[in-house]
Amino acid sequence: MRGAWARREFCAARASWLLVGVGLASLAGCAGPAVTPPPRILPAQILEAYDLQRSMDVEQARQAQRDVRQLRSEVSDGLLRERIACYRQFLVNRCLREVMERQRIIDVRIDAVEVAANQVLREQTARETSLRLAEDAARRAQQAAGAPERESLNREAYEARQTAAAQAQARREQEAPELERRAEKLKADAARRERAVQEKREAAEARANRAQARTGKPQSAP
């Protein structure tokens, strides 16, 4: 009698879930063959490659982040199948509570691995930032230390240019009288040559005039 009552309760529970869309099996399946339950996801199998008692390196932390993202989806799907399978059992609520407890433990494990990986990567980022800032500070200090030397070199180069310009000006001023003397000499030589040519021309014209006067015929000047 008690067994028959339990079976009716079981079938009624299954029927109620079929009405809301679970659709796990038909009512006729109450007397049909048993359905193979999905594999159980155990907390001890979750991310067992990661020992939180040991520190991760950067590559392990990056791999852990990838594993966590993939495992969350797989665990969510697997536990959902287990919860659905609970409605095929007689003690539905106890089965659901057991799945929920395993899910809580699994979530804690996944979160712990993710937090550890994130911490390692944050520390690595902080170290890289500190190193970059230290290098920038050292470079600025080196530039500041070299500034007086560069200023001194620039000042010396400017003074050298000024000295060279002054010396060139002094040479030009020193050479100016000689250049003027040479220019005057060239001008005088040109004037003498011009006078000599003019005198020759005038002498030739005078000879031609005298010869014409003697012969009464015009003669061409040589």
Side-chain angles (χ1 to χ4, degrees):
M1 183 67 177
R2 182 174 300 177
W5 175 83
R7 187 171 184 78
R8 284 197 302 273
E9 288 294 322
F10 172 63
C11 289
R14 292 193 63 188
S16 65
W17 276 97
L18 285 170
L19 290 175
V20 295
V22 176
L24 300 176
S26 65
L27 288 174
C30 291
V35 178
T36 303
R40 298 174 75 242
I41 300 176
L42 301 177
Q45 300 172 347
I46 300 301
L47 298 173
E48 57 185 349
Y50 299 97
D51 185 0
L52 297 182
Q53 301 302 320
R54 299 181 179 178
S55 60
M56 301 183 190
D57 58 28
V58 175
E59 289 303 321
Q60 288 175 332
R62 292 187 179 126
Q63 183 60 47
Q65 284 186 331
R66 292 190 289 268
D67 292 343
V68 164
R69 286 193 295 269
Q70 179 180 356
L71 190 61
R72 282 192 191 279
S73 176
E74 294 176 357
V75 167
S76 177
D77 293 343
L79 292 176
L80 176 60
R81 287 192 294 269
E82 288 193 45
R83 286 196 297 271
I84 293 174
C86 286
Y87 295 99
R88 302 192 189 103
Q89 300 184 19
F90 178 68
L91 301 175
V92 176
N93 290 335
R94 187 173 71 177
C95 177
L96 291 174
R97 284 195 298 270
E98 192 273 335
V99 173
M100 291 176 62
E101 178 62 18
R102 278 190 289 114
Q103 182 173 9
R104 183 188 67 80
I105 298 173
I106 289 171
D107 289 342
V108 169
R109 169 66 178 174
I110 293 176
D111 291 342
V113 173
E114 184 177 33
V115 168
N118 291 344
Q119 180 66 23
V120 170
L121 295 180
R122 279 196 299 268
E123 292 175 355
Q124 176 65 16
T125 301
R127 284 193 296 270
E128 291 174 352
T129 301
S130 298
L131 179 60
R132 185 171 62 254
L133 293 176
E135 291 175 350
D136 292 343
R139 184 166 54 253
R140 288 194 297 271
Q142 185 178 4
Q143 292 173 351
E149 182 178 356
R150 289 194 301 273
E151 184 178 354
S152 177
L153 292 175
N154 292 337
R155 184 170 57 252
E156 291 176 359
Y158 172 76
E159 292 174 354
R161 289 194 297 271
Q162 292 295 104
T163 301
Q167 292 174 350
Q169 181 64 25
R171 284 195 300 271
R172 287 194 295 271
E173 292 176 356
Q174 184 178 4
E175 294 171 355
E178 178 65 19
L179 294 176
E180 290 179 359
R181 188 186 66 78
R182 292 178 182 178
E184 291 296 332
K185 184 177 182 299
L186 292 174
K187 187 184 297 184
D189 291 343
R192 282 196 301 272
R193 286 194 297 273
E194 181 65 25
R195 284 194 302 270
V197 170
Q198 182 65 25
E199 290 173 355
K200 288 181 179 180
R201 184 181 299 113
E202 291 175 353
E205 290 177 353
R207 285 195 301 272
N209 290 334
R210 287 194 300 271
Q212 183 180 3
R214 287 194 301 269
T215 60
K217 295 181 179 180
Q219 294 181 2
S220 61

